[in-house]
Every structure is written in C-alpha cells, then in structure tokens.
Amino acid sequence: MKKFSKTPSKFLTLAILSFSFLSLAACSLLETPNTVEDSLSTTVVVPTPADTPEPSINEPAVNDSEEAAKEPSRALTVWVLPELDLDPDTPAGSILNQQLTDFDINHPEIELKVEHKSIIGQGSMIDYFSSASNVAPKILPDLILVPHNLLPTFAADGYVYPIETLVTQEDIDDLYPVGHDLTIINGERMGYPYAIGGLTHAAYNSAVYSTTLPSRLDQVLNTPLKPAFPASGKDGAQLLLQLYLDEGGQIYDEEGNFAFESTPLLVGLRRIQALRANGSISDEVGEISNHEEMWLDFKSGNSSLILTNNGRFVTELQETADLSYGQFPGSIGGLDPMVEGWIWAVSSADPARQALAVELLTWMANSTNMGDWTYTSQMLPVRQSALERWPEDDYSRFLDTEIDRATVKPELLSSNVGSILQGAMQALFSATDPQVVTIAENAVKAINEN
C-alpha cells in the first residue's frame, strides 16, 4: 500500500501546462499544492494486475473484529482507472491528492480507500465483480471510475446503480448535453461524468491559411490548404463515420439493427476523392496510419490541415509554430466533434454506502474541483461552470462551443464496423481513380449484414 500525504491549501503554479500563445499570464487561475506536511489517512492501493490474487469467495473482506469495530456504512472503497494520476509529485496528481485529502479531513469518521484497478484481466474490476458479486460482496467497492463505453455493460450486469434521485438538480443541469449522453442508459442515469477527452477538431498552419477555416470540404478546394489524416488507420474510419453522419446518415433502424445508407457514405468518400483529384490531398496520405505519422507529415510541410484532438493539440502547441485550430470541414458544415469519457458510478446496493459514494463523487466532480483538475491533466470538463475555472482565452471559448455540440464516440468504431469503414478508406486510396460507388455499396452491405 502507498500512503499519500495530507497537505494544507497551498498551491503550485501550473504555467507549464498553459497554451504558448496565451502569454502564460492566464495560468494564475489554477494552482496546486506544493508542500507535504502531514500524514494522510486516505489509503491508495496500486496493485500490479498480473500479481493480484484472485478474489476470495470463502473469506470476508474484513475479519469479524474489524467489522465490529466500525459501522459498515463508514468504510468507503473507491476503484479508479490506472490512468488516473494519484502521484502527489505531479501537477495533476497533486491536485487530485489534495481534493481527496480535503474530503477525508471533512469526514474523519470515514475510512477512505482509493485503489487503482484495471478494467480487464486478473485482479481487474470485471474479474472481481463477476467472481464476487453474489458470494462475497463485501470485497467490492462503493464507487468506481470507468470508461464511458463500459458503463452499459456494468449497468446491464447489475454492478452499478441509478443515481438520478441521489444527485442534485443543479449538478444535473450544469452538464453539457454530452454529459447526459455519456451516463443515461435505457432512460436511467447510471453515473456522473468526471471528464471527457479526445475531442476532435482541426489543426492548421496559419502561415499557409490565415483566415477562418471553411466549413465544408468542397470549399477547401479553393484554398492553399492541404489536408491529411490517418487514412490507413482507425482514425481514418472515424473521419469517414463523421462525414457520413454529417451528411445525415443513420446507424440503426427502429429495432436497433445496423441500417447504414449508401448515399451519405458515397458523398463522404467523394468529398475526399475530389481533394485527391485536384492534388490537395496527396496519395501519401493513404499510407498514414496514426497521429504520430500525421503530425510528422504536418510538421514537414507536406500537409497544412489535419484532424486532431484537444489533448494532442495542446501538446503540439508548445513546439509547433504557426499552429491554429478550428472545426474540421465536413460535408454540410464543421464536423461534430467526438469525445470519450470517464464516469463515476455507484457500485454499492447499500443505501448508506450509496449516500457516501454520491457525496464523494459530487465533491470530486463539483465545478471547482473538476475545473482545476481537468485543466491540469489536459482533460476536458463536462460541466459548464467547471470550464469557467479555466483561463479565459480564445481556445477555451472555442472548446466551450465544441463541447456543447460534441457527440459520444460510438463503440462501433472498435468493432467490425470500424474495420469495414477503415477498409473503405483504404480502398479509396488504393487507386488513382477508385470506383467510389462500389466501395460505398460494398461497405454498407458488409456493415448491415453484421
């Protein structure tokens, strides 16, 4: 076990994470603890998944003397993703550590345990829930942090519980629309969003094109911009799906079956092929498989307009000259950004423990804590008031607009459907004059037969 340190409310400057074009002055809004003075009663356990023992179904999580020494409702166990930085020596970990410490100080009667748990594998969340839910529930947590795409599975398996009546209307009303989309499963609010990331938008070279980006790909034909994207990778499939949806294409029918349409997909493919035909998109783009290769292509000057995401953009902004941003041009207008999310979910059936779990999750996700932590960790807040904690600048205002219209990245992109769309994009780049109609029809047929 690793014990973290309680610290008073002193702060570190977060200037290292400021955007380079903001003159760094705006960073004074967010500060983090920089001293360690006390010992922390909050215990953080970080097991190595491969060495974690299988959950025991024969022994209780605590022995009888320990159980008698405290009320069951006073122990609060939290499982979080390994990606969540709990290191007090890092800026983001320091802020998170301080927030947990503040909660612990205000709840001396609670034994708070925060443990890193992976999603799958030996000793993972799914491993424990599937093994111990019915026979040894005491070893399971009261609150978990999970990726948004796992929430439906956890809800269907009965591992998490609705929280609609446990959170305030103010906390619900403050969410961006995508916050509701991330957490409502079959009409029930099964969690509360903590942060989002991967928000897609355009990055472009402002030395090549200094005005506002065109909203449609066909308008790019009349500019010096040269688009690029990972055409041979998964991000190429995502771009094609975004173009398909921008053209009004549907994914499912009323029965929930795949119901892709040929025409919207055909239009999306033709938009890209038109840019290839006039030389705006080079054939080498068909060989780009990931973001690393795309950014290398951009920095070399071969391309000047790319589809990126907020986290990578901020990182590149530190070292790339003449870098600007905007909505990536689509078929009808700027493409709707896609995001992924982390969700707090209550995993205890006991009402007293549920109340404690919700108290902690609403503390961690209040506007101040969410705003400070997301800014430092390069994640995005999903509460409108949390973004107001960020320095007020042009990029923050742009993010506010984009989060407000963001959509949840579909899980189907990680399935066979994503592979089919990826294959369609590769087929487009496999010939100088590809048979676009055939590519679209074959892809739609293959998807709808899934």
Side-chain angles (χ1 to χ4, degrees):
M1 291 187 179
K2 180 177 180 180
K3 289 183 181 282
F4 284 69
S5 300
K6 279 185 181 175
T7 58
S9 297
K10 297 182 181 179
F11 296 92
L12 290 173
T13 302
L14 301 179
I16 57 172
L17 294 174
S18 308
F19 309 125
S20 60
F21 64 104
L22 304 178
S23 304
L24 303 180
C27 292
S28 60
L29 176 65
L30 297 177
E31 301 175 323
T32 59
N34 66 349
T35 60
V36 178
E37 298 179 2
D38 309 292
S39 64
L40 174 62
S41 61
T42 304
T43 302
V44 181
V45 183
V46 188
T48 302
D51 298 329
T52 303
E54 294 291 339
S56 172
I57 62 175
N58 299 315
E59 299 179 6
V62 293
N63 60 41
D64 291 340
S65 61
E66 290 175 322
E67 191 67 23
K70 64 183 181 184
E71 298 178 36
S73 63
R74 297 297 93 185
L76 186 63
T77 301
V78 184
W79 289 355
V80 300
L81 300 167
E83 296 87 350
L84 190 68
D85 185 2
L86 294 171
D87 186 352
D89 294 327
T90 64
S94 179
I95 284 184
L96 193 61
N97 191 60
Q98 182 65 48
Q99 293 171 1
L100 288 168
T101 298
D102 290 342
F103 183 88
D104 185 61
I105 290 173
N106 291 321
H107 298 78
E109 78 285 4
I110 294 175
E111 182 186 358
L112 178 61
K113 295 182 179 180
V114 182
E115 303 176 19
H116 272 153
K117 276 279 191 283
S118 59
I119 294 298
I120 60 174
Q122 183 181 348
S124 67
M125 290 190 193
I126 291 179
D127 187 25
Y128 269 85
F129 275 114
S130 61
S131 301
S133 290
N134 295 323
V135 293
K138 290 180 181 178
I139 70 175
L140 297 176
D142 306 296
L143 182 67
I144 57 175
L145 182 69
V146 296
H148 80 273
N149 59 321
L150 262 293
L151 189 63
T153 299
F154 276 56
D157 291 340
Y159 301 156
V160 296
Y161 299 87
I163 65 166
E164 187 79 46
T165 61
L166 302 176
V167 294
T168 68
Q169 192 62 42
E170 179 183 0
D171 289 333
I172 293 174
D173 291 343
D174 194 32
L175 292 173
Y176 285 100
V178 72
H180 302 286
D181 297 337
L182 285 164
T183 55
I184 295 179
I185 311 296
N186 295 326
E188 293 188 292
R189 193 176 304 277
M190 301 304 298
Y192 195 87
Y194 187 41
I196 55 177
L199 183 142
T200 53
H201 66 73
Y204 68 98
N205 188 331
S206 58
V208 172
Y209 190 79
S210 59
T211 60
T212 303
L213 284 176
S215 61
R216 302 200 317 265
L217 275 177
D218 58 6
Q219 296 171 330
V220 174
L221 291 167
N222 301 317
T223 74
L225 290 167
K226 293 186 176 297
F229 49 90
S232 67
K234 294 181 179 179
D235 291 291
Q238 179 174 331
L239 173 59
L240 184 54
L241 179 62
Q242 287 176 281
L243 288 169
Y244 171 81
L245 295 173
D246 190 49
E247 192 61 33
Q250 67 174 351
I251 295 179
Y252 303 104
D253 61 21
E254 294 180 354
E255 285 74 39
N257 301 312
F258 285 123
F260 271 66
E261 305 167 89
S262 295
T263 299
L265 190 64
L266 174 61
V267 172
L269 289 167
R270 279 178 168 166
R271 302 283 189 199
I272 297 171
Q273 179 57 25
L275 289 164
R276 287 188 66 213
N278 88 329
S280 295
I281 294 180
S282 120
D283 286 340
E284 284 71 26
V285 169
E287 301 175 5
I288 298 177
S289 62
N290 54 50
H291 274 255
E292 297 296 333
E293 295 173 0
M294 180 186 65
W295 275 99
L296 287 173
D297 189 76
F298 182 86
K299 291 177 181 180
S300 72
N302 290 334
S303 58
S304 52
L305 169 64
I306 56 177
L307 180 66
T308 187
N309 60 63
N310 64 288
R312 186 58 186 267
F313 178 81
V314 172
T315 300
E316 294 294 339
L317 194 58
Q318 311 295 323
E319 55 188 56
T320 306
D322 301 316
L323 185 58
S324 194
Y325 55 87
Q327 296 177 359
F328 195 88
S331 289
I332 305 300
L335 293 181
D336 287 345
M338 288 184 173
V339 298
E340 300 171 297
W342 288 358
I343 311 298
W344 288 114
V346 174
S347 52
S348 172
D350 179 76
R353 290 178 182 271
Q354 285 187 349
L356 282 174
V358 169
E359 190 173 350
L360 177 57
L361 81 82
T362 53
W363 163 254
M364 299 302 294
N366 70 32
S367 57
T368 298
N369 288 339
M370 181 187 288
D372 291 358
W373 177 75
T374 52
Y375 181 73
T376 314
S377 62
Q378 295 188 12
M379 298 292 285
L380 294 175
V382 74
R383 294 183 65 144
Q384 299 173 71
S385 61
L387 189 63
E388 294 173 3
R389 292 280 299 175
W390 287 33
E392 186 176 356
D393 53 61
D394 289 342
Y395 189 60
S396 293
R397 286 188 285 271
F398 170 73
L399 289 175
D400 179 40
T401 300
E402 295 304 285
I403 297 171
D404 192 50
R405 67 190 196 93
T407 62
V408 179
K409 182 179 178 180
E411 180 62 15
L412 60 85
L413 283 170
S414 300
S415 70
N416 190 41
V417 175
S419 298
I420 294 170
L421 291 173
Q422 184 177 338
M425 187 69 81
Q426 291 172 332
L428 185 73
F429 279 85
S430 65
T432 303
D433 187 19
Q435 300 300 307
V436 184
V437 173
T438 301
I439 293 171
E441 290 178 346
N442 288 344
V444 167
K445 183 175 183 293
I447 290 172
N448 290 341
E449 289 177 350
N450 268 264

